[in-house]
Amino acid sequence: MSTLVVGVDGGGSRTRLVIADDSGQELTALEAPPCAVRHGHEGESASVIVTALQEALVACGMTAIRPRVLSVGVAGVGRDAERDALRDSLIAHDVADEVVIQTDALIALD
């Protein structure tokens, strides 16, 4: 296996993270503290997501594999400024080849 994808559902009460392989098979899932984005505190939200991702990679024994995509649906990114700041912070942490940020409402509809 060479491809991992990561999905994050982040809100004000908790964060859920799932890692799947290239066939869509879930490898691990975990819950973490809330990561809802507040203006000016996007880095704190990114830190919660990065820590959860690191813990999940350890849990599934995949620390040597870089995720292809980190897809994050999170509360508080309805405006471009917050969405871009969170994406920039996650990219700065170099957590995946591609980082996608959407609102939690959009992923709920999906």
Side-chain angles (χ1 to χ4, degrees), residues 10-58:
S13 60
R14 67 179 167 216
T15 298
R16 295 180 189 153
L17 185 142
V18 175
I19 295 180
D21 65 17
D22 52 1
S23 70
Q25 179 67 37
E26 183 179 306
L27 302 175
T28 194
L30 60 78
E31 287 193 6
C35 70
V37 173
R38 292 180 297 129
H39 180 71
H41 298 274
E42 296 86 359
E44 294 170 19
S45 298
S47 292
V48 170
I49 294 167
V50 169
T51 299
L53 174 57
Q54 292 168 341
E55 291 174 5
L57 288 168
V58 168

Side-chain angles (χ1 to χ4, degrees), residues 62-81:
M62 298 291 177
T63 56
I65 300 177
R66 176 183 174 87
R68 165 132 163 42
V69 176
L70 172 65
S71 178
V72 179
V74 64
V77 295
R79 296 184 305 185
D80 291 343

Side-chain angles (χ1 to χ4, degrees), residues 87-106:
R87 181 177 36 251
D88 291 348
S89 186
L90 289 168
I91 288 171
H93 282 284
D94 198 30
V95 293
D97 294 337
E98 181 179 356
V99 176
V100 178
I101 308 292
Q102 302 175 359
T103 66
D104 58 340
L106 185 60

